[in-house]
Amino acid sequence: MKALFSFLTIALLVLPAAAAEQKVAIVDLKTVYNDFWETKKADKELKARQEKAQKELQGQLDAQKKLLTELQNMDRALRDPKLGLAERQRRQQAFAQKQKEYAETGRTLQDVQKTMVTRLREEQRKMQDDVMGKIKVIVSAVARKGGYTMVVDKNILLFSADEDDLTKEVLEKLNANDPAKTAVPGAPKK
């Protein structure tokens, strides 16, 4: 018990001293993320991939609609009262085959769609993680340079005086090598 009391006494004496040494800065992570040129570049790339995937999917949807139209036409032809027994049986077999094909392509289409959505979400997550990794490196560098021991996201604070806000400095460093800003006006883009 005596050891516990001694430990608590020392902890109470050390904690205020350690807390006094803390220098906290804030950064508006949402603003930094949204205004970072690489975020915009990644968003454009992802949007292009989404559009390409949508076009591929649309092609498969169109093929499925074509199959449905063929099925409807075959069904109408089967109802023709002028058909003989042998021709009716042949058309019913063809109709059954077409129904089977339609069902299989429908399942395949659903699988393709799920796979595309999963792949695009994974690509989006990876792009966001890459951008956030770069942001964290710069935030750490700016914080160390300023002598800060901790940086907190401004969006989760209840109050901040804003005098230790690193958002502008972090954004300047992140966007320092933005190709759009360093390009010579009138020069062709690569």
Side-chain angles (χ1 to χ4, degrees):
M1 183 74 171
K2 195 174 192 181
L4 179 63
F5 181 71
S6 296
F7 175 75
L8 288 174
T9 304
I10 291 171
L12 289 174
L13 292 174
V14 172
L15 282 177
E21 295 173 17
Q22 294 287 330
K23 188 174 177 188
V24 179
I26 59 170
V27 68
D28 187 345
L29 198 54
K30 183 178 178 182
T31 299
V32 169
Y33 182 84
N34 289 333
D35 291 348
F36 183 23
W37 71 271
E38 286 195 30
T39 303
K40 294 171 185 171
K41 178 184 169 199
D43 286 345
K44 283 181 185 176
E45 289 174 10
L46 187 63
K47 186 175 181 180
R49 289 178 187 173
Q50 288 171 337
E51 288 172 357
K52 181 181 176 187
Q54 186 63 36
K55 284 179 184 177
E56 290 174 15
L57 190 61
Q58 189 60 48
Q60 292 179 1
L61 285 169
D62 291 344
Q64 185 72 352
K65 285 180 184 177
K66 183 179 176 186
L67 277 175
L68 180 61
T69 302
E70 289 175 20
L71 268 173
Q72 291 168 339
N73 291 338
M74 291 173 85
D75 185 46
R76 268 190 238 105
L78 272 173
R79 293 186 207 157
D80 185 1
K82 299 175 189 171
L83 282 179
L85 184 60
E87 182 64 19
R88 185 176 306 281
Q89 286 178 345
R90 188 188 67 74
R91 287 186 182 188
Q92 282 177 335
Q93 286 177 344
F95 182 74
Q97 277 296 106
K98 191 62 78 172
Q99 278 183 318
K100 186 177 176 182
E101 181 184 349
Y102 180 78
E104 287 174 6
T105 57
R107 284 189 294 274
T108 301
L109 187 59
Q110 287 176 343
D111 291 344
V112 166
Q113 189 172 13
K114 286 178 188 175
T115 302
M116 277 185 190
V117 167
T118 301
R119 187 186 80 230
L120 288 170
R121 283 184 183 155
E122 182 62 27
E123 288 176 8
Q124 181 180 24
R125 187 199 55 77
K126 185 183 179 312
M127 286 179 175
Q128 289 171 339
D129 289 349
D130 289 347
V131 168
M132 285 305 296
K134 292 174 182 179
I135 290 171
K136 287 178 183 178
V137 167
I138 298 298
V139 168
S140 296
V142 170
R144 282 190 186 101
K145 182 180 172 192
Y148 295 98
T149 56
M150 187 183 318
V151 178
V152 181
D153 184 0
K154 184 178 187 174
N155 297 300
I156 59 171
L157 288 176
L158 297 178
F159 171 77
S160 171
D162 287 343
E163 60 246 8
D164 292 323
D165 190 343
L166 303 177
T167 304
K168 185 177 178 184
E169 186 177 353
V170 167
L171 266 173
E172 287 172 358
K173 288 197 180 289
L174 283 168
N175 290 326
N177 57 353
D178 180 354
K181 291 183 180 177
T182 58
V184 177
K189 290 187 179 181
K190 293 180 182 177

